[in-house]
């Protein structure tokens, strides 16, 4: 069983930056594909970015070039660096992971989420 704990959310002005962290406990983290998702009020949860154990990445078009996903398998941690934040980025952000490949992995584990609010 892998447990995921996100942190780093908060209130930021448009154009600002935040760095989210997701720390995993439990076995097999280093071989799982890990991803970030978000859910805005009244909307479905959407995929943001994913990263393989080897560091290959994939992003949704709306964040490409603004957000960067990274991981350190020794620290059992993934990060989401978010730059150029927009009000439409406001959402609860979740990390998730499981076995699979970059564009098709199982969301076997989920964190509890961290709120990101972009507002002036």
């Amino acid at each position: 069983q892998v447990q995921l704990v996100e942190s780093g959310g908060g209130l930021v002005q448009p154009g600002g930056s935040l760095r989210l962290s997701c720390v995993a406990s439990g076995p097999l983290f280093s071989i799982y594909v890990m991803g970030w998702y978000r859910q805005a009020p009244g909307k479905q949860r959407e995929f943001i970015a994913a990263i393989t154990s080897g560091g290959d990445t994939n992003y949704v078009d709306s964040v490409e070039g603004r957000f960067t996903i990274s991981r350190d398998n020794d620290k059992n941690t993934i990060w989401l660096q978010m730059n150029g934040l927009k009000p439409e980025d406001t959402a609860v952000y979740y990390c998730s992971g499981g076995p699979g490949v970059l564009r098709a992995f199982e969301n076997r584990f989920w964190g509890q989420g961290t709120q990101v609010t972009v507002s002036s």
Side-chain angles (χ1 to χ4, degrees):
Q1 184 75 9
V2 173
Q3 293 182 327
L4 305 175
V5 179
E6 302 99 333
S7 63
L11 173 65
V12 63
Q13 293 186 341
S17 298
L18 282 175
R19 190 189 195 203
L20 306 183
S21 301
C22 173
V23 180
S25 61
L28 303 180
F29 167 83
S30 63
I31 67 171
Y32 284 161
V33 181
M34 298 297 299
W36 286 97
Y37 295 75
R38 67 187 180 188
Q39 187 167 19
K43 295 187 177 181
Q44 291 188 332
R45 190 172 299 186
E46 65 169 341
F47 168 80
I48 296 300
I51 186 168
T52 66
S53 60
D56 293 331
T57 58
N58 181 39
Y59 298 91
V60 69
D61 287 346
S62 60
V63 308
E64 182 86 52
R66 298 190 297 126
F67 291 8
T68 303
I69 188 172
S70 59
R71 71 189 288 167
D72 185 328
N73 292 331
D74 291 334
K75 296 181 179 179
N76 276 14
T77 302
I78 67 167
W79 295 273
L80 185 69
Q81 177 66 45
M82 304 186 295
N83 299 327
L85 283 162
K86 306 175 181 180
E88 53 263 42
D89 294 317
T90 296
V92 178
Y93 284 70
Y94 300 89
C95 66
S96 178
V101 296
L102 183 59
R103 288 177 171 79
F105 63 97
E106 180 182 348
N107 299 115
R108 184 172 292 183
F109 306 105
W110 289 92
Q112 84 288 350
T114 185
Q115 176 70 47
V116 172
T117 303
V118 184
S119 175
S120 55

